[in-house]
Amino acid sequence: MTSNAEREWVAMLIAVQEGRPPVPLLDDAGIAELLRSRPRIAVIGASADPGRPAYGVMRTLRRAGYDVVPVSPGVEEIEGLRTFPTLADAVRETGRVDIVDVFRRPEAC
C-alpha cells in the first residue's frame, strides 16, 4: 500500500472502531498547509505546571503565534489565558477550534 492508502485505511479502521463515519487523515503536505493557516488550537489537559509536557506545548504554540484555547477542569487560568472545563464549554463561549491537541490518558478521554 502507498502512504496515502495506509492513512486512509487507518482512518477507516479508527472510525469503524469508534462507530462514526471515517475522518480524513492529512498527509505531510496537508498538515503543513493547515499549520500555515494559523488554526485555532484547543489543548485538552492543559497544565499550569511548567514541568508538564502540556504546558510546554501550549507555551510553544502561543509563542509561534497560534490562538490557543486551554481546556482543563479545576484550573481557572494558565499563562493569562482563561481555561475551560470542557471542549464544549470552550467552543460555546469562544467559537470553533480547528485542531484539538489531547494531553490525557486514553481512559480519561
Side-chain angles (χ1 to χ4, degrees):
M1 278 192 254
T2 67
S3 181
N4 284 338
E6 288 174 343
R7 283 186 174 100
E8 290 174 16
W9 186 75
V10 169
M12 188 262 320
L13 286 177
I14 292 169
V16 168
Q17 182 179 8
E18 294 178 353
R20 58 178 170 72
V23 174
L25 296 181
L26 300 175
D27 60 12
D28 291 345
I31 292 168
E33 180 60 32
L34 175 60
L35 293 174
R36 276 193 296 275
S37 74
R38 291 291 185 217
R40 191 156 191 260
I41 304 171
V43 178
I44 309 294
S47 176
D49 178 353
R52 304 290 299 183
Y55 177 89
V57 168
M58 189 178 90
R59 190 172 190 184
T60 299
L61 289 169
R62 289 187 68 207
R63 286 183 174 172
Y66 292 101
D67 181 10
V68 177
V69 181
V71 177
S72 185
V75 178
E76 292 183 22
E77 182 179 292
I78 300 173
E79 290 228 334
L81 293 178
R82 177 181 172 203
T83 60
F84 298 89
T86 69
L87 180 59
D89 291 330
V91 170
R92 183 173 38 259
E93 294 189 37
T94 68
R96 68 172 229 148
V97 297
D98 303 297
I99 296 175
V100 178
D101 198 352
V102 180
F103 286 87
R104 298 287 298 152
R105 293 186 182 132
E107 62 271 12
C109 294

